[in-house]
Amino acid sequence: MLVNELKKSFLISLWFMFLTFPIMVIRVNTVENIIQWRWANLFFVGIGSFVLSALWRYLIRRKEQGIKKTEVDGVARVTLSQRLLRERRFTIPALIVIAIVALAFPFVFSLYQTNIMITALIYVLLGLGLNIVVGVAGLLDLGYAAFYLVGAYSYALLNYHFGFGFWTVLGLGAGMAALFGIILGFPVLRLRGDYLAIVTLGFGEIIRLIMENWNEFSFGPSGIANIPRPGFFGVEMNFEQVTVYVYFLMIALSLFTIFVVNRLQNSRIGRAWIALREDEVACQAMGIDKRKTKLMAFALGATWAGFAGVVFAAKTTFINPASFTLWESINILCVVVLGGMGSIVGVIVGAFILILLPEYLRFLSEYRILAFGTVLVLMMVFRPGGIVETVRRTYQYEEADH
Amino acid sequence: MDMEPILDVKQLTMDFGGLRALDSVDLDVSQGEIVALIGPNGAGKTTFFNCITGIYDPTGGDIMITAPKNGRTQRINGIKPNLVTEKGLARTFQNIRLFQNMTVLENVMIGCHCRMKAGILGAVLRGISTRREEEAVIQKSYSILKKIGLEKYVNEFAKNLPYGAQRRLEIARAMATEPFMLLLDEPAAGMNPQETRELDELIVKICETEGISILLIEHDMKLVMSLSDRIFVMDYGKKIAQGTPAEIRKNPAVIKAYLGEEIDA
Ligand SMILES: Nc1ncnc2c1ncn2[C@@H]1O[C@H](COP(=O)(O)OP(=O)(O)O)[C@@H](O)[C@H]1O
Ligand SMILES: [Mg+2]
């Protein structure tokens, strides 16, 4: 068995040496018109690919054995993260520690760090919102950044034209995003899976392109500058104070989001979403209005993107369509998928990792996106359920003492 | 039948492109009856169910229902499946369509959905009425599971249930929608003789104690003959016979359609 595996790795390394031969070994020196043969590189490629391929095979085998074991045992494997989440002894102290860190953060760390943290919290909002659509209701939405855009532009434009303040627009922006959620929802009601993904992707791009080209309305690619930061009963604040203020505002908004999303998931509507994800036909046959349920998922998901957009515009004081590309939608989707679809804790963890990891990988300079991509691929191979695999709280019946 | 039928289907026709899957089929079910719809594979039985339950919009004909509760007669051609269910017709599927990754209890709770009220605001605020409703639904679901004999699986995931139990869970889920009529598509398919016997008793019980009328598609002739008050026979999209089990057993057209197969029991 082992010999066989090693033989396969050996063949792969031979194949790699052959493939990379022209670029790794031969070098044409055009100045002196000679060819340099760098045989040492061949050796390194061979060793490197052999070790990596052997490691890969080993990890895959281990994973397969794990799966086989759960199949034989018949009991689902409870992961460490799931166990920790269930254990009250662990969760309560953890929550206290998180609360203290969250409260102290802007006073202990630099302004720069606080700003990164605000961005991460914005992604928590975005992730939790998209999680309703993708994770719970199972509707793959690749145009989610459009709702984020709607929120941001709602604030920027309403403020520019009518002087509306941050707090007024926070609600309005969310409402606008919800409205756009419904507008998108209607035409895609019949679509599922890949088709839905493609249409939502198109929708997201259309909204962005309109903003980019409709100069009279949105000021085109040059965007809108000088958007006021959020106010606090007219109190004058310097830049640092505002940042801390926005930070706590985001903490509050995140808590609010977690509260609402949690309640929604564990309700009649949340159940209907999960059932819709499981089987649309059966869902309808059980008396659930597919149209209404889907539209609710789109609207309620978009609402949080609206909130996040308003805060984003207020935080950066400048927005243009370039912030809301397909890449942004994919980023938010990564938050949900990486964290663990359908799991609130998972999405929060995913948001922090996805925003903080590239920040702290900066020392890798231009390789950081490559490193990040590698991490994502490895994650999906070895932990396809996400970092925190769904521990959906199921309804349990306990015999009551009557 | 002198009683007014609760389901009265007249001249139902369904075309798929050039294929006429249903050709002017008449069928009626009265309150408290158990009616069977039989016929060879591909006769159009499932298509008939799909038309009645709103999954297909029939090409022609009328589907009339009269809810025993208020005695109002309505035509339900082409309305949405969820509305059909709301009006009191619930169904099961030939190829089991449970919510596999939900628990048995949750599956039945989904059935209760259309009889509940809580909306978005209710869900978020979770006031006293929402909490009461949720509690009541859990109790109701459990009592249905008890009636169907699935209470020992209550907190299991649907996908982990044995096959026979999955079929019964489909019935439990349909009953949670509070129907006046159940449409069962091959409820005994894949069951062993013991399970089939239990199913026989269950269906009689549902009909007699719950007052729910039954229309079922079934291939198990023994089950059909012992259960049914009346039988309708289809072949190639057409109704070829109707009558009591005794009449059907002697009917030459039926014997011809089932040529080679035994209709004894
Ligand atoms: N959606 C559909 N599109 C095209 N043909 C269909 C469709 N549904 C059923 N049919 C055809 O209708 C006929 C009747 O099928 P069905 O109602 O499933 O038969 P039964 O349930 O009696 O075995 C078959 O020939 C089948 O191929
Ligand atoms: Mg069939």
Side-chain angles (χ1 to χ4, degrees):
Chain A
M1 227 27 183
L2 183 70
V3 176
N4 215 345
E5 291 288 295
L6 288 179
K7 207 167 89 190
K8 273 187 193 151
S9 288
F10 180 68
L11 285 176
I12 284 177
S13 81
L14 274 185
W15 179 233
F16 255 78
M17 287 197 286
F18 174 72
L19 275 181
T20 56
F21 185 80
I23 45 169
M24 295 303 286
V25 179
I26 304 174
R27 171 187 255 168
V28 182
N29 189 328
T30 47
V31 181
E32 296 169 28
N33 271 335
I34 53 165
I35 294 174
Q36 286 172 309
W37 300 90
R38 297 172 298 171
W39 294 109
N41 278 355
L42 189 67
F43 177 73
F44 292 134
V45 167
I47 294 287
S49 53
F50 178 76
V51 170
L52 283 180
S53 131
L55 186 69
W56 177 259
R57 282 172 178 286
Y58 169 71
L59 289 174
I60 292 276
R61 282 188 79 82
R62 243 187 50 170
K63 186 185 156 211
E64 276 168 0
Q65 266 160 10
I67 293 172
K68 244 183 236 143
K69 206 164 152 216
T70 56
E71 271 170 5
V72 171
D73 294 352
V75 280
R77 174 178 47 113
V78 181
T79 58
L80 182 67
S81 60
Q82 290 176 344
R83 235 179 303 153
L84 289 181
L85 281 176
R86 275 186 206 153
E87 204 55 68
R88 237 158 221 283
R89 211 152 32 94
F90 176 81
T91 49
I92 291 174
L95 280 179
I96 293 171
V97 170
I98 290 171
I100 292 171
V101 170
L103 285 177
F105 194 90
F107 306 111
V108 177
F109 291 95
S110 66
L111 203 60
Y112 174 72
Q113 301 284 346
T114 308
N115 258 317
I116 294 178
M117 213 31 109
I118 294 174
T119 308
L121 287 170
I122 287 181
Y123 276 87
V124 168
L125 244 62
L126 290 167
L128 287 174
L130 185 62
N131 186 42
I132 293 178
V133 186
V134 179
V136 181
L139 306 163
L140 185 49
D141 181 354
L142 284 183
Y144 192 66
F147 308 125
Y148 188 29
L149 179 151
V150 168
Y153 269 88
S154 293
Y155 180 39
L157 290 173
L158 285 173
N159 181 272
Y160 182 86
H161 292 296
F162 307 107
F164 280 20
F166 172 82
W167 288 102
T168 325
V169 184
L170 192 60
L172 280 177
M176 282 294 280
L179 186 70
F180 270 79
I182 293 172
I183 292 174
L184 165 68
F186 263 110
V188 301
L189 276 173
R190 293 161 183 281
L191 303 178
R192 263 183 258 187
D194 338 13
Y195 301 103
L196 178 68
I198 291 167
V199 174
T200 50
L201 185 154
F203 173 82
E205 285 299 279
I206 288 171
I207 298 269
R208 185 179 65 81
L209 287 172
I210 289 176
M211 289 322 222
E212 205 146 278
N213 292 295
W214 193 1
N215 286 320
E216 299 76 39
F217 176 69
S218 65
F219 305 98
S222 51
I224 302 168
N226 293 325
I227 304 166
R229 294 171 200 282
F232 184 68
F233 301 113
V235 180
E236 282 287 321
M237 283 186 283
N238 64 25
F239 178 63
E240 194 169 344
Q241 286 165 329
V242 172
T243 306
V244 174
Y245 175 52
V246 173
Y247 171 82
F248 282 110
L249 188 111
M250 275 314 297
I251 295 272
L253 254 180
S254 303
L255 289 176
F256 176 62
T257 311
I258 294 167
F259 172 79
V260 172
V261 169
N262 184 41
R263 283 258 163 116
L264 282 175
Q265 279 194 15
N266 294 301
S267 72
R268 169 176 177 259
I269 296 165
R271 277 199 303 274
W273 284 335
I274 297 170
L276 197 68
R277 178 185 72 194
E278 291 283 310
D279 189 327
E280 266 189 24
V281 174
C283 198
Q284 280 183 290
M286 288 305 113
I288 291 175
D289 188 340
K290 181 177 95 174
R291 171 195 291 249
K292 201 167 131 195
T293 310
K294 272 194 181 180
L295 287 180
M296 266 201 279
F298 274 118
L300 285 171
T303 306
W304 304 107
F307 279 129
V310 175
V311 176
F312 173 76
K315 170 191 170 261
T316 57
T317 71
F318 167 76
I319 55 165
N320 72 352
S323 308
F324 309 99
T325 53
L326 174 63
W327 174 242
E328 195 58 38
S329 296
I330 291 176
N331 239 342
I332 305 167
L333 189 65
C334 281
V335 165
V336 177
V337 176
L338 185 76
M341 284 213 269
S343 152
I344 292 179
V345 178
V347 171
I348 296 168
V349 173
F352 279 101
I353 289 182
L354 219 91
I355 301 312
L356 301 185
L357 203 64
E359 285 301 331
Y360 296 117
L361 284 177
R362 272 191 195 283
F363 65 92
L364 292 172
S365 60
E366 67 255 50
Y367 291 111
R368 82 192 164 108
I369 297 298
L370 180 69
F372 179 59
T374 313
V375 171
L376 273 187
V377 170
L378 289 177
M379 273 287 311
M380 286 300 107
V381 172
F382 294 107
R383 257 193 106 94
I387 297 167
V388 181
E389 278 177 74
T390 322
V391 268
R392 187 169 70 79
R393 205 167 70 224
T394 55
Y395 291 81
Q396 300 281 319
Y397 182 84
E398 283 120 28
E399 199 82 52
D401 353 71
H402 295 290
Chain B
M1 288 279 148
D2 43 356
M3 231 189 334
E4 189 185 3
I6 53 170
L7 173 72
D8 194 3
V9 181
K10 290 184 196 118
Q11 299 292 302
L12 192 69
T13 300
M14 180 77 216
D15 292 333
F16 295 111
L19 178 82
R20 180 150 288 193
L22 293 176
D23 192 355
S24 308
V25 179
D26 291 319
L27 184 147
D28 64 281
V29 180
S30 297
Q31 173 63 24
E33 258 192 322
I34 299 180
V35 174
L37 178 59
I38 63 171
N41 271 324
K45 306 178 297 292
T46 300
T47 305
F48 185 80
F49 268 26
N50 286 342
C51 286
I52 292 174
T53 55
I55 292 178
Y56 296 152
D57 186 1
T59 318
D62 297 302
I63 306 163
M64 313 296 289
I65 58 166
T66 309
K69 219 170 28 205
N70 52 22
R72 271 220 333 269
T73 304
Q74 291 168 286
R75 184 170 184 270
I76 59 164
N77 283 46
I79 69 171
K80 291 236 157 56
N82 56 299
L83 289 178
V84 177
T85 308
E86 249 175 62
K87 289 185 192 303
L89 297 183
R91 70 170 292 175
T92 66
F93 293 91
Q94 180 177 351
N95 44 345
I96 298 175
R97 299 192 84 134
L98 289 169
F99 307 118
Q100 300 285 347
N101 292 305
M102 299 176 89
T103 65
V104 168
L105 182 71
E106 286 170 331
N107 267 276
V108 182
M109 286 170 81
I110 288 290
C112 299
H113 186 96
C114 63
R115 306 294 174 213
M116 295 169 71
K117 285 200 265 313
I120 295 173
L121 217 57
V124 174
L125 300 177
R126 194 171 290 191
I128 189 91
S129 65
T130 309
R131 281 203 304 265
R132 280 222 185 104
E133 189 182 60
E134 288 282 296
E135 188 50 41
V137 160
I138 291 178
Q139 290 301 336
K140 177 184 156 192
S141 304
Y142 186 73
S143 72
I144 291 173
L145 285 171
K146 231 171 167 168
K147 272 178 214 151
I148 307 290
L150 287 174
E151 71 270 24
K152 69 176 171 191
Y153 296 118
V154 62
N155 293 328
E156 286 285 344
F157 280 104
K159 62 181 172 195
N160 295 338
L161 256 54
Y163 191 78
Q166 292 200 8
R167 286 229 172 265
R168 293 165 82 96
L169 178 54
E170 277 228 337
I171 297 177
R173 191 178 63 171
M175 278 178 65
T177 66
E178 300 177 9
F180 63 80
M181 183 167 161
L182 269 179
L183 297 99
L184 309 175
D185 197 344
E186 303 198 14
M191 283 188 171
N192 62 34
Q194 164 71 18
E195 287 171 326
T196 307
R197 253 194 317 279
E198 286 168 11
L199 181 76
D200 188 332
E201 285 162 22
L202 178 67
I203 292 176
V204 171
K205 191 172 113 188
I206 290 172
C207 184
E208 281 174 2
T209 62
E210 307 289 320
I212 300 175
S213 314
I214 308 254
L215 174 61
L216 86 159
I217 297 173
E218 192 43 69
H219 281 304
D220 186 326
M221 281 308 150
K222 195 168 154 215
L223 184 69
V224 168
M225 294 296 167
S226 84
L227 265 180
S228 323
D229 297 313
R230 285 185 303 142
I231 299 173
F232 288 78
V233 189
M234 283 179 65
D235 196 15
Y236 294 111
K238 288 196 176 73
K239 187 183 85 181
I240 57 169
Q242 83 178 75
T244 62
E247 289 163 359
I248 291 299
R249 214 173 289 161
K250 293 193 296 256
N251 189 307
V254 178
I255 292 167
K256 189 161 162 258
Y258 275 92
L259 202 66
E261 288 183 46
E262 306 249 322
I263 321 176
D264 50 16

